[in-house]
Amino acid sequence: MSRKRPPDDGDELLARLGLLTAQAREVAAMQRSQVELALALQRGMLPRDMPVVPGIHLAVRYSPAYSGLNVGGDWYDAFALPDGRIGLSVGDVQGHTTEAAAFMGQVRVGLRALASVTSEPGELLARTNDLLLTLGTDLFATCTFMRLDPATGILESARAGHVPCVWATADGRSGVSEDEGGPPLGVQEGMEYPVTRYRLTTGGVFVLVTDGVVEGPLLSLDEGLDQVVRLAGVAAVAGMEAGSLAAAVIKNAEHVGHEDDAAVLVVGHDGRKFQP
């Protein structure tokens, strides 16, 4: 009478390891596909071209997060308004998910659509805020919207809970904007957003960023903004191209100590006198 050979513990362990490895590869491939889809969605919703206007120089840089499933909702935008002025925005959706990336597209498109009705920055942010509240999501966004008139050199800005912008002029002045601002978009209805008005009579730059550029575990917000002020100040005095300044500012994101989306929008303007 023959006896059955007991199962080899080593063979059984190898079989289980093989099964677990195959399952892990399947999950990794699925997650990688989700990230690639979200990144494609994210990039597809950002504008490819900037408006071309004499005397105004626009440049952008964008660095998406690549850590795990951390796909965020930072954006930049620049577009011509019906009256010949230029709309400029930069913002950041709370969270790092595919849903955040999709919500970013809704905010950006909402701003563009409502700007055809009213491009006054404070009113535009207020209407966008009310629109987002009707979507029934728990997400919210911070944002800065600017309206630039190339004919007069008037720049109007409103901020919704977003990082303040940096400015610098060719005569050596620079700093962080001290506009009042309002709460993030999509949090509470009926909010107001004060508008700050600038007259661009001296050549220089405005630099709009998301917090991934200037804030993190290794860098406080004030420290990060100070670094951008220094870069903008040197660029304005030296007459550096807007694209070169944008590249230098996005590199600053390497010092914040975390992997997050980072967006930069540089608005350069010539030193000619604008007519009121």
Side-chain angles (χ1 to χ4, degrees), residues 10-84:
D11 292 343
E12 184 177 351
L13 179 59
L14 287 174
R16 289 182 179 179
L17 285 175
L19 178 60
L20 291 174
T21 299
Q23 291 174 343
R25 287 176 178 171
E26 184 177 345
V27 171
M30 183 182 301
Q31 291 180 337
R32 184 167 58 251
S33 297
Q34 291 175 350
V35 171
E36 291 173 351
L37 175 61
L39 288 172
L41 173 68
Q42 193 177 41
R43 288 188 178 279
M45 288 187 292
L46 296 175
R48 295 184 178 182
D49 301 313
M50 297 286 103
V52 178
V53 181
I56 304 298
H57 311 282
L58 304 177
V60 295
R61 291 293 186 276
Y62 180 73
S63 177
Y66 283 107
S67 176
L69 292 176
N70 284 340
V71 179
D74 289 19
W75 84 86
Y76 60 81
D77 201 5
F79 55 95
L81 294 166
D83 59 5

Side-chain angles (χ1 to χ4, degrees), residues 173-257:
R173 295 175 293 132
S174 60
V176 177
S177 66
E178 297 180 354
D179 55 305
E180 181 181 351
L185 303 175
V187 175
Q188 186 175 350
E189 63 181 5
M191 293 294 97
E192 296 184 355
Y193 299 90
V195 177
T196 302
R197 195 167 182 261
Y198 304 89
R199 181 179 290 278
L200 311 181
T201 57
T202 304
V205 295
F206 281 84
V207 184
L208 288 71
V209 301
T210 55
D211 60 0
V213 179
V214 292
E215 184 179 23
L218 302 181
L219 200 68
S220 70
L221 177 59
D222 288 341
E223 291 171 334
L225 287 172
D226 285 345
Q227 289 186 9
V228 178
V229 169
R230 286 194 290 271
L231 290 170
V234 170
V237 172
M240 182 185 297
E241 292 184 353
S244 298
L245 174 57
V249 172
I250 199 72
K251 190 171 179 59
N252 195 71
E254 298 176 1
H255 306 296
V256 301

Side-chain angles (χ1 to χ4, degrees), residues 70-202:
N70 284 340
V71 179
D74 289 19
W75 84 86
Y76 60 81
D77 201 5
F79 55 95
L81 294 166
D83 59 5
R85 288 182 278 193
I86 301 172
L88 305 157
S89 73
V90 65
D92 183 3
V93 173
Q94 166 252 350
H96 296 85
T97 63
T98 304
E99 183 183 3
F103 187 66
M104 173 269 284
Q106 293 175 312
V107 179
R108 194 179 74 83
V109 171
L111 284 168
R112 280 204 177 207
L114 291 172
S116 64
V117 179
T118 174
S119 62
E120 195 278 333
E123 185 178 354
L124 176 58
L125 290 186
R127 291 196 180 194
T128 303
N129 174 65
D130 292 341
L131 172 65
L132 295 180
L133 287 170
T134 66
L135 299 179
T137 176
D138 293 330
L139 296 175
F140 63 86
T142 66
C143 172
T144 293
F145 183 84
M146 290 183 169
R147 180 174 67 174
L148 173 60
D149 188 343
T152 63
I154 299 298
L155 179 68
E156 299 162 290
S157 175
R159 186 162 58 97
H162 197 68
V163 180
C165 72
V166 166
W167 60 271
T169 57
D171 58 9
R173 295 175 293 132
S174 60
V176 177
S177 66
E178 297 180 354
D179 55 305
E180 181 181 351
L185 303 175
V187 175
Q188 186 175 350
E189 63 181 5
M191 293 294 97
E192 296 184 355
Y193 299 90
V195 177
T196 302
R197 195 167 182 261
Y198 304 89
R199 181 179 290 278
L200 311 181
T201 57
T202 304

